[in-house]
Amino acid sequence: MQSVAESLKALAELAGRPPVSVVAQAFADAGHELALVGGPVRDAFLGRPVHDLDLTTDATPDEILAIIAPLADAHWDIGRAYGTIGARIGGETVEITTYRSDVYDQVTRKPSVEFGTSLEADLLRRDFTVNALALKLPEQVLVDPSGGMDDLLAQTLRTPSTPEVSFGDDPLRMLRAVRFTAQLGFQADTETLAALTDMAPRIENISAERVNEELSKLLRSPKPRRGVELLTSSGLAAYVLPEVPALRLETDEHHHHKDVYQHSLTVLDQAIDLENERFPGEEPDLTLRLAAVLHDIGKPATRKLEPGGVVSFYHHDVVGSKLAKKRLRALRYDNDTIADVARLIELHLRFFGYTDGAWTDSAVRRYVRDAGPLLERLHILVRADVTTRNRRKADQLAFAYDDLEARIAELAEQEELDSTRPDLDGEQIMSILNLKPSREVGEAYRFLLELRLEEGPLGEAEATRRLLAWWSARA
């Protein structure tokens, strides 16, 4: 973390950014208070990039609009009921919210939105002290009613009120605590940790959509493992992602196997490292990270204790794929994400047959065809799945996958593998066999596709000869 002097300089620079300084002067001229609040203040102090410009004010939503409209390229009031007005100024987005003093009934978990008049009171209703910081503008005075600055320096997560009250007001804050341990690298204090465990069942009162959002933010963080570990140890995972704690399989004195839970977390770490290595600067790949966490969730259901102390998990890839679909649907993920994660889990063991014996070119083509647009993600997942401490075995698998990727590249260059198609299309098949659109055309197409995969490009003349021979034998 940067020094205090560097942090104060960063805060001053943030306050001086044109969108912030322009808005601050406009509110001061109108006789209203304005302050940067929460995440941007915290991140500037920590030396992290500041993306969101969140401000708070004593002005009402109507007054905010009147002040902001002449300055903005565009403005919107979709959050007006909650006191929030958004605007685009000088190419940057700002959100300005009226001071709030919400009241929670501790039953429905939905606040009765009430506007407040005090910045300090607004800050004390926030989730964690490190987010309950404000920088008054334009005078640049730091407001910290709950000791958030001390907690930033100590890298501690603590709630402004008691955690029981804070989490009771909004149980989603428990998942936010989990996320912040990963995003910020902070440690929740003793009282907060105890409340996470004691109050974990209350997370069931939160909608799947809100849970989805927090889980996704957690997995998109640079080092999500720490958050996943807290999610599991606190008991929250048992309610939102129960397949993960189920990976902590019991062992007995006769049958031993590696810790599947820790293995899965290591796969997540290694997948992220490979993702950053292969696609530097790109956005975190949520699909890949979900697949890494969930790739072995079929093991508990398929675990079998074999003679001689061997433990088997036959078909855990297929079972895990189905379980992942079910869980991700329950969490309201979109259909494409669900299908892609499930497919990656289903395919993640396919490569390990490559080390048993040389694959034919047709087997390589099938691997590519079955992975389709997920091929690059599958490369990463399969490589990340190697967590053995046996260096010789790890090197052997790495060399084998290097060889497979080299063969895929070679075949792709020779045959345009990414767009594998039969040598004849549907129109040509119908013309050659004198058919109208029908099931038989589809069967003929699949026959030619199999030939293409097995033998590579045949050319139109040879494909026609083979097609006629197949049709004659079929008749």
Side-chain angles (χ1 to χ4, degrees):
M1 190 168 68
Q2 60 187 2
S3 68
V4 173
E6 290 171 328
S7 298
L8 294 176
K9 180 182 178 182
L11 285 172
E13 291 175 350
L14 177 60
R17 278 167 62 170
V20 177
S21 58
V22 169
V23 172
Q25 192 58 54
F27 274 76
D29 292 344
H32 285 290
E33 297 177 4
L34 187 74
L36 275 163
V37 66
V41 179
R42 178 200 70 213
D43 289 342
F45 188 88
L46 293 174
R48 290 163 51 89
V50 175
H51 302 293
D52 301 320
L53 297 177
D54 297 328
L55 300 117
T56 188
T57 178
D58 62 343
T60 66
D62 286 342
E63 291 169 333
I64 295 172
L65 268 175
I67 297 169
I68 208 74
L71 309 174
D73 306 318
H75 59 80
W76 52 93
D77 61 356
I78 191 170
R80 188 187 190 115
Y82 297 95
T84 300
I85 302 297
R88 189 80 176 166
I89 300 173
E92 292 200 65
T93 298
V94 297
E95 287 194 347
I96 308 171
T97 302
T98 304
Y99 296 155
R100 298 257 297 268
S101 58
D102 300 343
V103 176
Y104 291 81
D105 62 13
Q106 296 279 323
V107 177
T108 64
R109 318 300 173 195
K110 294 181 180 180
S112 171
V113 178
E114 296 182 11
F115 299 145
T117 57
S118 163
L119 174 58
E120 287 76 7
D122 177 275
L123 293 174
L124 289 171
R125 53 166 282 277
R126 293 175 180 264
D127 54 3
F128 300 102
T129 59
V130 296
N131 295 330
L133 297 167
L135 187 68
K136 275 190 171 183
L137 302 171
E139 59 268 39
Q140 296 187 28
V141 173
L142 188 67
V143 181
D144 177 16
S146 60
M149 194 60 64
D150 290 337
D151 289 337
L152 273 179
L153 291 170
Q155 299 188 340
T156 298
L157 278 182
R158 185 170 58 85
T159 55
S161 58
T162 67
E164 289 78 12
V165 170
S166 182
F167 297 159
D169 283 347
D170 185 1
L172 187 71
R173 289 173 175 174
M174 294 188 286
L175 288 184
R176 287 172 63 82
V178 167
R179 169 163 64 92
F180 285 134
T181 62
Q183 279 188 339
L184 304 178
F186 285 12
Q187 175 68 48
D189 74 343
T190 303
E191 290 184 3
T192 301
L193 287 173
L196 287 176
T197 300
D198 293 342
M199 303 179 71
R202 297 199 187 189
I203 200 66
E204 292 189 301
N205 296 328
I206 299 300
S207 70
E209 289 79 6
R210 294 182 76 200
V211 171
N212 171 322
E213 184 178 0
E214 282 302 320
L215 284 176
S216 297
K217 287 179 179 178
L218 165 61
L219 289 174
R220 286 191 178 104
S221 62
K223 296 184 180 296
R225 178 176 186 150
R226 187 171 181 174
V228 176
E229 288 176 331
L230 179 56
L231 188 73
T232 303
S233 64
S234 66
L236 283 164
Y239 298 96
V240 300
L241 205 60
E243 294 79 7
V244 171
L247 293 172
R248 297 181 295 186
L249 302 177
E250 295 180 2
T251 61
D252 61 36
E253 59 180 317
H254 302 296
H255 296 81
H256 301 280
H257 55 79
K258 64 184 176 184
D259 186 327
V260 182
Y261 170 68
Q262 289 298 330
H263 163 75
S264 297
L265 296 182
T266 301
V267 172
L268 174 62
D269 286 341
Q270 295 184 165
I272 291 172
D273 289 342
L274 287 167
E275 176 190 341
N276 294 333
E277 178 185 314
R278 293 191 173 208
F279 306 106
E282 295 194 14
E283 289 297 310
D285 190 335
L286 178 61
T287 296
L288 174 63
R289 297 178 184 202
L290 282 166
V293 171
L294 302 177
H295 77 284
D296 273 349
I297 60 173
K299 281 190 171 179
T302 58
R303 180 172 179 252
K304 185 177 180 181
L305 306 180
E306 305 282 3
V310 176
V311 181
S312 65
F313 304 98
Y314 294 122
H315 307 303
H316 76 267
D317 46 346
V318 177
V319 172
S321 177
K322 293 177 180 178
L323 290 174
K325 282 183 182 178
K326 183 177 180 180
R327 177 54 51 196
L328 296 179
R329 284 195 192 105
L331 288 170
R332 302 292 192 271
Y333 278 92
D334 63 275
N335 290 335
D336 288 342
T337 299
I338 293 171
D340 289 349
V341 171
R343 187 61 168 157
L344 285 170
I345 294 173
E346 182 182 354
L347 293 174
H348 84 274
L349 291 182
R350 184 79 63 86
F351 157 74
F352 292 96
Y354 190 84
T355 60
D356 296 334
W359 278 8
T360 62
D361 285 350
S362 65
V364 175
R365 293 187 191 99
R366 290 178 191 279
Y367 188 77
V368 173
R369 183 193 67 175
D370 291 347
L374 299 174
L375 183 61
E376 286 301 321
R377 285 169 167 152
L378 185 60
H379 287 335
I380 292 174
L381 180 60
V382 172
R383 287 183 179 274
D385 197 23
V386 178
T387 63
T388 179
R389 294 180 182 178
N390 183 323
R391 176 48 53 192
R392 181 179 178 184
K393 183 177 180 181
D395 287 345
Q396 182 182 26
L397 289 169
F399 293 150
Y401 209 87
D402 288 343
D403 183 66
L404 175 58
E405 285 202 66
R407 288 183 64 190
I408 289 172
E410 183 180 349
L411 285 171
E413 185 176 350
Q414 293 173 355
E415 306 172 10
E416 298 181 358
L417 189 57
D418 290 336
S419 56
T420 298
R421 295 289 186 275
D423 295 273
L424 303 173
D425 61 23
E427 292 292 334
Q428 290 171 303
I429 290 170
M430 287 189 287
S431 175
I432 293 167
L433 300 182
N434 194 26
L435 293 174
K436 294 181 178 179
S438 61
R439 184 180 63 185
E440 285 81 3
V441 177
E443 292 175 357
Y445 186 93
R446 286 190 290 275
F447 164 73
L448 291 174
L449 179 58
E450 288 297 318
L451 284 180
R452 174 70 169 78
L453 291 169
E454 289 289 345
E455 303 180 30
L458 299 174
E460 186 174 333
E462 177 62 15
T464 300
R465 187 185 72 78
R466 297 282 195 95
L467 176 63
L468 289 170
W470 171 80
W471 184 249
S472 176
R474 184 180 182 278

